[in-house]
Amino acid sequence: MCGIVGYSGFRQASSVLIAGLKRLEYRGYDSSGISVLNTQGLVTFKKTGKIINLQQIVPKDLQGLSGIGHTRWATHGGVTDRNAHPHNDGKNSISIVHNGIIENYISLKEMLKADGVVFKSETDSEVLAHLVAKFYEDDLEKAVKKALTLVKGTYGIICMHRDKPGILVGARNGSPLVLGIGEKEMFLASDVSAVIGYTKQGIYLVDREVIIVDENNYRSTDLGYQELDKKVEHISWELEELEKGGYPHFMLKEIFEQVDSIPRAYSGRIDEDLATAKLGGLNMTNRELLDVERIKIIAAGTSFHAGWVACYLMESMARIPCSIELASELRYRNPIVEKNTLYLALSQSGETADTLYALREIQRKGGRVLGICNVVGSTIARESDGGVYIHSGPEIAVASTKAFTSQITALYLFTLLLARMRSLSWEEGTTFINNLKKLPEMMQSLLETKDQIAALAKKYAHYQDFLFLGRGINYPGALEGALKLKEISYIHAEGFSAAEIKHGPIALINEETPSFFLVPDDGLKSKVISNMKEIKARKGLVIALAVEGDEEVAEIADDVLYVPRTHDFFYPFLMALPQQLFAYYCALELERDVDQPRNLAKSVTVE
Ligand code: F6R
């Protein structure tokens, strides 16, 4: 989703801003722009399309030591140069970048129009520039605060004024903003990836916080004048993690990284002697954990699928009733929050608006929510009552891959912990841990089949509809396989329980609609095989993901990919990787923009 960056210091601001915007590209965007303050005043450049288009119109020797920049993911108003940010007031004295949505922008626009303001764009954001200008009387902080008191909605903003060189005023409410503190330079950005090339010291803003920054100093207040005491935090991500490291795409790199990211999610968190997990950040006593009678997971997209896999384990192994719900749905249906239900908010980015608002709704009703996040210091991580980081490292490709398996790993550890407090024996706990620790080697062996998967993708990429089918703990994995394929290749793909196809979807089957079956050698295999035969009987093509050496499946399917044999609980990891590679190679075959698929954003900070 939109990215914002601001700079005040001693370097050429335009270069820092453009470099920062490039780091934010992964969030998804359709236009970009910068404003820089120099002797000519505020100079603004904006352009639709990729940042390279912006670079072509920004003079290489553009002077100016402070400025702001933005990557826009269109919400209000089409993808046009005019709608791109920054937005300036009529006198070109104020320039502003904004993430989020100003819900009452229509009434604010009417009010400003009555004052004679002429709007240049169709965006909600432009009202902010005119509002700040309206209230400006030589004090930018005051004008921004006054403007924000009139605003309903969400924002992460950075604002600058022609007469205040080096000064940036940032504010957040619902859209993330971080300050990077350098030596004689300061950075503001919507996420740390834009600043870690310069500094590892950061401050995360909270909602309704305003920060006033120049090249040497910062001061943080609430929307009034109450100063806030902010802790400077160490930013742990490394710059190399944001590079492709020799891979053609971030997505491929991240698929390959799973060999390391899965052990990173469990390392230091296993107690072999007691055959359990130790999770430091839960903020819950053993007694409180024992009192948990029900678990409810809230999430969106891929995280939803990861949470769903974990629900199966939670019920089977810990015998705790577990359900999952789309965060977007939970929030608006007046959910019943029960006393001994523990809620888990699952989010890679930790910024997904749907999940964040659902978390707040549960907390408002007195529920306890643990956050399972990847991004350290993210809003969900900070607002939850405790939680677990999945430590998968930065996930840059829009399509989530390594975070999916790391989320399952973290949730499996949590399940192990609860299960060992209940009926799981030491021996069973030890077996579970041993199986978990075999995963990296198995994932490595799957990566070695990549050429076979690429060849399969070449064969199938030109079909226009796919079904992905699985059962039991592998049913959510089939939904995830379909999501991966559709989001990066734009091939229409639907995921179903293999058992459900006879209730409708089988009507879609003909020679032109391949079905991708997940067929581990578990208790449901014979049922899935029957479903495969049903498809074959209707001339449907079948690709099967089966367990090494499974001749029975090979005989029925048109094409088979194999995964190593493991315990039933661990197939979701092994089934995920070939599906990710299949989607990747199909997208490649169709020459799609793999890392930044059309219309999508990495961190969905609007509802
Ligand atoms: C799909 C994908 C999205 C996200 C969803 C939730 O590949 O990445 O479906 O999973 O937007 O995002 P997080 O996990 O950041 O809350």
Side-chain angles (χ1 to χ4, degrees), residues 23-28 191-193 237-238 241-243 250-258 261 264 302-303 347-350 374-376 390-407 480 484 487 580 595 601-603:
R23 294 276 180 215
L24 297 174
E25 273 191 301
Y26 77 97
R27 297 168 69 96
D191 77 57
V192 293
S193 56
W237 284 358
E238 299 298 333
E241 293 181 286
L242 301 176
E243 313 280 350
F250 281 110
M251 183 177 175
L252 190 63
K253 176 181 176 231
E254 288 158 10
I255 292 172
F256 271 67
E257 276 176 0
Q258 291 175 102
S261 56
R264 249 200 328 265
T302 291
S303 297
S347 173
Q348 184 283 128
S349 63
N374 186 33
V375 179
V376 175
I390 64 168
H391 295 312
S392 58
E395 194 178 62
I396 306 296
V398 163
S400 188
T401 53
K402 63 176 179 172
F404 176 72
T405 47
S406 295
Q407 285 172 328
E480 176 59 11
K484 283 289 89 75
E487 69 182 327
Q580 294 166 350
D595 285 338
K602 182 68 185 162
S603 175

Side-chain angles (χ1 to χ4, degrees), residues 48-318:
T48 56
K50 296 285 178 193
I51 291 171
I52 184 94
N53 301 354
L54 176 68
Q55 280 178 289
Q56 277 160 4
I57 58 166
V58 174
K60 290 223 168 356
D61 56 352
L62 182 66
Q63 300 295 304
L65 302 175
S66 62
I68 56 180
H70 191 265
T71 47
R72 174 173 188 253
W73 188 82
T75 56
H76 294 61
V79 181
T80 64
D81 291 350
R82 274 171 182 270
N83 287 341
H85 298 217
H87 290 290
N88 298 0
D89 68 316
K91 293 186 187 144
N92 206 28
S93 57
I94 296 283
S95 195
I96 201 160
V97 286
H98 166 234
N99 286 355
I101 290 177
I102 307 299
E103 286 165 10
N104 59 337
Y105 81 101
I106 293 178
S107 58
L108 292 173
K109 212 167 170 175
E110 290 312 314
M111 176 187 90
L112 290 160
K113 274 184 181 167
D115 287 352
V117 169
V118 178
F119 282 82
K120 289 178 273 232
S121 77
E122 305 149 288
T123 65
D124 54 330
S125 308
E126 192 186 344
V127 296
L128 288 172
H130 298 293
L131 266 186
V132 175
K134 176 180 166 79
F135 296 125
Y136 183 80
E137 289 169 350
D138 202 36
D139 184 339
L140 186 58
E141 173 186 352
K142 197 170 168 187
V144 169
K145 286 179 174 171
K146 239 173 155 174
L148 292 179
T149 54
L150 295 185
V151 160
K152 285 204 187 95
T154 54
Y155 52 80
I157 57 162
I158 314 176
C159 183
M160 57 195 300
H161 193 283
R162 185 180 53 197
D163 300 337
K164 301 285 173 193
I167 292 183
L168 306 175
V169 177
R172 87 157 259 178
N173 185 40
S175 286
L177 199 59
V178 59
L179 171 74
I181 305 165
E183 277 286 314
K184 297 193 171 51
E185 57 183 348
M186 298 283 173
F187 307 82
L188 280 167
S190 43
D191 77 57
V192 293
S193 56
V195 310
I196 58 175
Y198 305 97
T199 176
K200 290 304 211 71
Q201 304 293 310
I203 283 179
Y204 297 93
L205 272 73
V206 295
D207 279 352
R208 309 182 74 71
E209 179 175 349
V210 178
I211 195 155
I212 302 94
V213 172
D214 65 26
E215 59 273 37
N216 293 310
N217 300 297
Y218 61 88
R219 186 166 49 81
S220 205
T221 75
D222 61 10
L223 277 181
Y225 283 86
Q226 180 68 43
E227 300 235 348
L228 304 177
D229 192 12
K230 301 294 292 187
K231 196 169 127 229
V232 178
E233 296 185 42
H234 176 74
I235 301 168
S236 60
W237 284 358
E238 299 298 333
L239 197 55
E240 305 82 68
E241 293 181 286
L242 301 176
E243 313 280 350
K244 285 191 194 141
Y247 288 89
H249 296 99
F250 281 110
M251 183 177 175
L252 190 63
K253 176 181 176 231
E254 288 158 10
I255 292 172
F256 271 67
E257 276 176 0
Q258 291 175 102
V259 173
D260 300 316
S261 56
I262 292 173
R264 249 200 328 265
Y266 66 64
S267 64
R269 290 169 161 177
I270 292 175
D271 185 330
E272 310 248 2
D273 291 340
L274 299 177
T276 188
K278 24 177 204 179
L279 297 168
L282 299 179
N283 295 339
M284 289 179 78
T285 62
N286 282 357
R287 178 55 62 89
E288 286 171 324
L289 287 169
L290 195 58
D291 283 343
V292 172
E293 288 174 1
R294 198 174 285 278
I295 303 249
K296 181 131 200 175
I297 304 179
I298 49 167
T302 291
S303 297
F304 178 79
H305 299 148
W308 200 347
V309 170
C311 271
Y312 279 90
L313 186 80
M314 187 65 78
E315 295 206 339
S316 309
M317 195 167 91

Side-chain angles (χ1 to χ4, degrees), residues 375-597:
V375 179
V376 175
S378 57
T379 311
I380 291 174
R382 279 184 291 111
E383 292 198 14
S384 50
D385 300 295
V388 183
Y389 282 118
I390 64 168
H391 295 312
S392 58
E395 194 178 62
I396 306 296
V398 163
S400 188
T401 53
K402 63 176 179 172
F404 176 72
T405 47
S406 295
Q407 285 172 328
I408 302 176
T409 308
L411 288 167
Y412 269 33
L413 290 180
F414 185 55
T415 308
L416 173 66
L417 175 71
L418 296 182
R420 284 284 293 127
M421 295 176 73
R422 291 166 171 81
S423 57
L424 196 77
S425 69
W426 184 89
E427 285 81 5
E428 289 165 326
T430 301
T431 306
F432 182 87
I433 291 167
N434 290 341
N435 280 317
L436 181 67
K437 288 166 79 177
K438 281 184 199 145
L439 280 176
E441 204 183 314
M442 292 180 169
M443 297 296 262
Q444 181 60 45
S445 74
L446 282 171
L447 289 174
E448 282 153 23
T449 65
K450 75 173 184 12
D451 292 341
Q452 195 194 340
I453 299 173
L456 195 71
K458 212 175 174 60
K459 177 172 168 190
Y460 282 96
H462 296 278
Y463 287 91
Q464 285 176 2
D465 301 283
F466 270 82
L467 301 191
F468 281 74
L469 304 162
R471 290 210 64 184
I473 200 167
N474 294 292
Y475 163 37
L479 303 186
E480 176 59 11
L483 177 61
K484 283 289 89 75
L485 185 65
K486 76 181 112 184
E487 69 182 327
I488 60 165
S489 72
Y490 320 147
I491 296 172
H492 173 236
E494 298 287 340
F496 295 102
S497 156
E500 274 296 299
I501 50 169
K502 58 186 178 289
H503 298 295
I506 201 162
L508 297 169
I509 295 301
N510 59 21
E511 303 87 328
E512 297 301 318
T513 309
S515 298
F516 199 116
F517 271 89
L518 311 188
V519 207
D521 193 4
D522 61 9
L524 290 167
K525 181 179 151 189
S526 60
K527 310 277 177 204
V528 179
I529 285 187
S530 301
N531 302 137
M532 284 169 64
K533 287 182 178 164
E534 287 156 14
I535 298 279
K536 286 306 307 166
R538 286 159 183 84
K539 297 195 169 56
L541 290 164
V542 168
I543 306 167
L545 249 182
V547 176
E548 270 162 2
D550 193 328
E551 299 291 332
E552 190 186 2
V553 172
E555 266 175 35
I556 306 164
D558 296 279
D559 287 283
V560 194
L561 294 170
Y562 288 111
V563 302
R565 182 171 298 281
T566 181
H567 184 279
D568 292 359
F569 292 153
F570 294 91
Y571 282 116
F573 293 90
L574 305 183
M575 297 275 159
L577 195 146
Q579 292 188 91
Q580 294 166 350
L581 281 175
F582 181 73
Y584 172 79
Y585 286 116
C586 283
L588 216 58
E589 182 64 22
L590 298 172
E591 297 181 3
R592 307 299 193 216
D593 187 347
V594 174
D595 285 338
Q596 289 161 33

Side-chain angles (χ1 to χ4, degrees), residues 298-299 304 325-335 354-355 358:
I298 49 167
F304 178 79
E325 185 166 352
L326 290 170
S328 51
E329 290 300 322
L330 177 129
R331 184 190 174 197
Y332 288 108
R333 63 168 184 80
N334 198 9
D354 290 327
T355 312

